[in-house]
Amino acid sequence: MTLTVLNVAYPLAPVGPDAAGGAEQVLARIDAALTANGDRSVVIACEGSRVTGTLLPTPVPASPLDEIARAMAQARHRVAVQDAVLCYRPDVVHLHGFDFSAYLPPPGGPALVTLHLPPAWYPATALRPKRPDTWLHCVSAAERRACPADAPLLDDIANGVETEAFAARHSKRPYVLCLGRICPEKGVHLALDAATEARLACLVAGALYAYPAHEEYFRTAVLPRLRDRHRWLGPVGFARKRRLLSAARALLVPSLAPETSSLVAMEALACGTPVIAYAAGALPDIVDHGRTGFLVGDVAGMAAAIAAAGTLDTAACRRAAGERFRVEHMTARYLETYRRLAQGEARMEAHSHAA
């Protein structure tokens, strides 16, 4: 059965294998898997996205990325989704943005929504969509436990990464790495404080988007801490990211949000690099405390874990990633879910997370 799947990204973040956001990376992997499988992949995403299927780009509003810009982008996405449904007649529409309810397709076929972010961050009405044949799913058990009991949830599909692509080995160097979007909830300032306390350099890599709150956070909380050997590298491509992860003493994930998953933690483990993370959301399900990293509760705990990171076995980190976080497992689950949705089987399989 050959399928046509329309994937719809968040309107303000470009899709691609090197995207800054986890949702955009996941979408890129799904798109590649669909085309490799001989299915038709159509993607609605903002300009600057890179896909292997058919890209239907929407314009990115001029900075700043405020509520007016977001509303404009949502309106353009809404038109693009309606046009794509009429033109391509997809078997399934798959939405990834936290604002998906602003551009749901018209009734008529199955729609799948991946909840990439904590459920509390979505409007309550979005988690109980009125559109018929609309299904949600989570990317971790921790996220599912936070969902309302009456949300129309399908089985979880855990995220995965290209573990074999991160197999390159580099000698460990005297630094820790903090990698991801620069925004308040990621706690970059805490990573810098912990590295300062541990007397080790901290390299910060990631994208800074033109959201006023993100720029203010960078200016007031991150820049003043970039002293001594600490450095901000900005966005990095795949090859540099792999090199930085592989050579780091540890990856720091001091997130203040209840993370639903963590692609960068999985990538670090695939490189043989332990992960030191706040025990938030799904991170305790990714990091095996004392074996592939450490789960901590504050800056002092993170600093102590940095000092102990060298005692962990890099081979154990790689094994854990290869056994648990392979991207092929993730994409196979999505392709199977698409087929079940297209065949009308979702209603029989949907269940409450509280059941």
Side-chain angles (χ1 to χ4, degrees):
M1 177 183 182
T2 300
L3 295 178
T4 297
V5 178
L6 173 64
N7 271 282
V8 185
Y10 174 59
L12 298 179
V15 168
D18 292 332
E24 290 72 39
Q25 292 180 44
V26 167
L27 195 163
R29 303 296 187 252
I30 295 171
D31 162 67
L34 282 165
T35 55
N37 196 56
D39 295 311
R40 187 175 198 182
S41 174
V42 182
V43 177
I44 294 175
C46 68
E47 294 172 335
S49 297
R50 294 189 295 119
V51 304
T52 59
T54 300
L55 175 64
L56 306 179
T58 56
V60 178
S63 297
L65 298 179
D66 53 17
E67 289 303 317
I68 295 174
R70 180 176 291 159
M72 291 175 56
Q74 290 171 346
R76 290 165 175 162
H77 248 44
R78 189 158 50 245
V79 172
V81 169
Q82 294 170 354
D83 290 346
V85 168
L86 289 174
C87 179
Y88 293 95
R89 303 289 180 183
D91 297 287
V92 179
V93 178
H94 186 179
L95 301 107
H96 298 262
F98 82 93
D99 56 351
F100 70 90
S101 59
Y103 42 83
L104 275 170
L112 175 69
V113 178
T114 298
L115 300 176
H116 290 282
L117 299 179
W121 294 14
Y122 294 85
T125 54
L127 300 181
R128 302 171 181 85
K130 294 182 179 180
R131 180 190 180 278
D133 210 4
T134 301
W135 308 96
L136 317 179
H137 84 91
C138 299
V139 297
S140 65
E143 180 188 22
R144 176 163 35 89
R145 289 192 294 270
C147 280
D150 57 347
L153 294 174
L154 301 181
D155 287 334
D156 306 340
I157 301 179
N159 288 338
V161 298
E162 295 179 318
T163 54
E164 294 180 3
F166 284 92
R169 288 168 169 78
H170 296 273
S171 299
K172 293 296 182 184
R173 297 179 60 188
Y175 69 85
V176 289
L177 181 66
C178 186
L179 175 62
R181 290 182 296 111
I182 309 299
C183 55
E185 64 268 21
K186 294 300 182 182
V188 176
H189 65 292
L190 301 174
L192 291 164
D193 287 347
T196 297
E197 189 170 329
R199 298 183 179 180
L200 198 66
C202 181
L203 304 185
V204 178
L208 173 63
Y209 287 105
Y211 296 104
H214 294 190
E215 293 178 325
E216 174 69 10
Y217 169 71
F218 181 73
R219 183 168 56 253
T220 61
V222 177
L223 270 179
R225 289 173 166 85
L226 292 174
R227 57 184 184 272
D228 301 325
R229 292 167 293 173
H230 303 333
R231 294 167 54 204
W232 180 54
L233 306 178
V236 293
F238 173 79
R240 193 179 186 196
K241 175 172 70 171
R242 181 176 60 184
R243 185 168 63 252
L244 288 166
L245 283 170
S246 183
R249 182 79 55 85
L251 173 76
L252 306 186
V253 187
S255 179
L256 299 173
E259 297 288 348
T260 60
S261 184
S262 177
L263 293 183
V264 69
M266 298 174 186
E267 292 169 345
L269 295 177
C271 287
T273 296
V275 177
I276 302 172
Y278 277 20
L283 283 162
D285 297 328
I286 296 172
V287 179
D288 186 355
H289 181 74
R291 182 170 175 267
T292 64
F294 297 104
L295 297 167
V296 300
D298 55 25
V299 167
M302 181 163 282
I306 291 172
T311 66
L312 300 181
D313 183 6
T314 59
C317 295
R318 291 191 183 93
R319 282 196 301 272
E323 292 168 1
R324 299 179 54 205
F325 306 131
R326 294 176 63 85
V327 72
E328 295 85 358
H329 298 164
M330 177 190 78
T331 54
R333 289 289 311 282
Y334 276 112
L335 267 59
E336 177 61 21
T337 299
Y338 293 155
R339 278 158 178 73
R340 292 184 180 278
L341 286 167
Q343 293 167 1
E345 298 177 13
R347 187 165 282 102
M348 295 184 290
E349 297 182 2
H351 62 278
S352 167
H353 74 284

